[in-house]
Amino acid sequence: MPALSPTMSHGNIATWLVKEGDPVTAGTMLADIETDKAVMGFENQDEGFVARLLAPNIHTPSSSTTSSSVTAAAPPAAVAVAAPPLRPRQEVNGRLGPAARLLLQTAGLQPHDIPPSGPRSIVTKGDVLAALALNPVSPTPSSSSPHPPPHPPLPTLQSRCTTRSPPPPLPTQPPPLLPPLPAPPNPAPSKPAVHTPPAAAAAAAAKPPASGPFVPRAAVPLVPGGVYVDNPNSQIRRVIASRLLESKVTIPAMYVTATAPLDAVQALRSELASQGIKISVNDCVLKAIALALKAVPEANAYYDEASGSGIQFPGGIDICVAVATERGLITPIVKAVAGRSLSEISSEVKSLAGRARENKLRPEEFMGGSFTVSNLGMFGVSDFCAIINPPQAAILAVGGPQQRVSLAPDGTLSSSTHMAVTLTVDQRVIDGEMAAELLAKFSEVMAAPVRLMM
């Protein structure tokens, strides 16, 4: 299977779009593949027929293997594969070893039915095993055998290997060597004994022996009487877990928190709403942080340690927006945010978020970006710290609106609306002074949102 994205190493077959025996041509969609970011179509490259579907749906083959077998220029009826016939009779030496003779008698074959490979045309045990592997036959003795076995036919090697009875289970507890000692008259207080729950003890006793066939063990509840369901992770959630763990372990992160005023932004939104233009606070945040990055271009950077170049500065300001889906978190990209209007940003974010939840994003719509914004304010979160999305060097965590009461110089009280923002930066790229400057520029734009209209 080809890698459908540069970061893809494995893929899940979400849905097969063909059936066994279907004719296919170049460009035929074979299956929907769940990559580390989205579900993408897998196109066929040759003409032929689908011979077999070797992997079921929701399977995880490696990206270097193929999950379907396409037979070129062959009708569906010719797909069945028959075992090759035995070679014709050959002149062989009549001398046989005991192992080779026993195998020939068991399979009902003669020495001249087996191509010899031993010295002086002697049929060896390996020759018989190789022939039986290519041409499985029923264990009936040959009628032309000069010395038929006096006993019933021996079981085949496969039956002898599969019908071996498992060893008896070992005792769960060894017998006591000495009788238990009586308890002391005044025992010292000790910690309460830990008893195994009945459900856990029953599950442990029902564990199959190691030599027998594998049997899935029943789930052991953590609490007696509790019921738990194992939900396997999707490919996206596995990649998210791997990337976030890598970020927390390898990136020297620093967290800088500030507040930004919202009263002017709310007034601007109300004025635009009266004209039929609906924008959100998140749209204003995207435009404000893009203008702040334009004022502090050193913060709009990557750190690419793998290439050996270190810090890299992209050509544009492309902001990633964190979108929560049922399959995990994905960050579609709004490109060239600093030069776009609020209405354009709003429509672009809505389109990207809708297609992200439907798993219809193209690779260029979620791969890349120079900065990420994660907004949980609409869920009632006051403030939080986000994890950097490598190779980016910063991410902005946006909280919800909070009311503040302040004392004016004339002694009167006034209230204002603010929101807390936390900037997580990679200190290999952005130091504390640069992070503070970036947040200051962001707060200035939010306080004077007329700049968002430019």
Side-chain angles (χ1 to χ4, degrees), residues 141 218 260 269 423:
R269 293 182 59 214
L423 181 65

Side-chain angles (χ1 to χ4, degrees), residues 370-389:
S370 58
F371 193 91
T372 300
V373 173
S374 179
N375 190 348
L376 295 180
M378 67 284 294
F379 300 106
V381 177
S382 58
D383 61 271
F384 68 101
C385 298
I387 302 176
I388 297 175
N389 184 21

Side-chain angles (χ1 to χ4, degrees), residues 46-57:
D46 302 308
E47 294 185 0
F49 294 87
V50 179
R52 291 182 62 191
L53 300 180
L54 303 179
N57 294 351

Side-chain angles (χ1 to χ4, degrees), residues 195-208 215-230:
H195 298 280
T196 305
K207 183 177 180 180
V215 178
R217 185 176 60 178
V220 180
L222 301 180
V223 180
V227 178
Y228 302 88
V229 177
D230 291 333

Side-chain angles (χ1 to χ4, degrees), residues 272-299:
L272 293 177
S274 62
Q275 302 175 11
I277 303 175
K278 294 183 179 181
I279 62 172
S280 65
V281 175
N282 194 62
D283 302 330
C284 299
V285 169
L286 295 179
K287 182 65 177 289
I289 194 62
L291 295 178
L293 288 172
K294 186 176 181 180
V296 188
E298 297 83 2

Side-chain angles (χ1 to χ4, degrees), residues 287 334-342 344-345 347-348 452 454:
K287 182 65 177 289
V334 183
K335 298 185 178 180
V337 181
R340 307 178 74 169
S341 65
L342 288 176
E344 292 176 346
I345 296 173
S347 60
E348 181 73 9
L452 301 177
M454 296 179 181

Side-chain angles (χ1 to χ4, degrees), residues 32-116:
D32 288 334
I33 305 299
E34 180 189 67
T35 68
D36 54 347
K37 293 290 186 180
V39 176
M40 305 178 65
F42 178 28
E43 293 186 3
N44 182 48
Q45 304 297 327
D46 302 308
E47 294 185 0
F49 294 87
V50 179
R52 291 182 62 191
L53 300 180
L54 303 179
N57 294 351
I58 314 301
H59 191 63
T60 56
S62 172
S63 61
S64 61
T65 62
T66 179
S67 299
S68 64
S69 176
V70 178
T71 301
V79 172
V81 180
L86 290 175
R87 295 185 181 183
R89 290 174 174 262
Q90 303 185 29
E91 295 296 331
V92 298
N93 195 323
R95 298 178 58 185
L96 294 174
R101 187 182 301 277
L102 176 61
L103 289 173
L104 287 174
Q105 292 178 356
T106 303
L109 300 176
Q110 296 298 322
H112 51 253
D113 295 329
I114 309 298

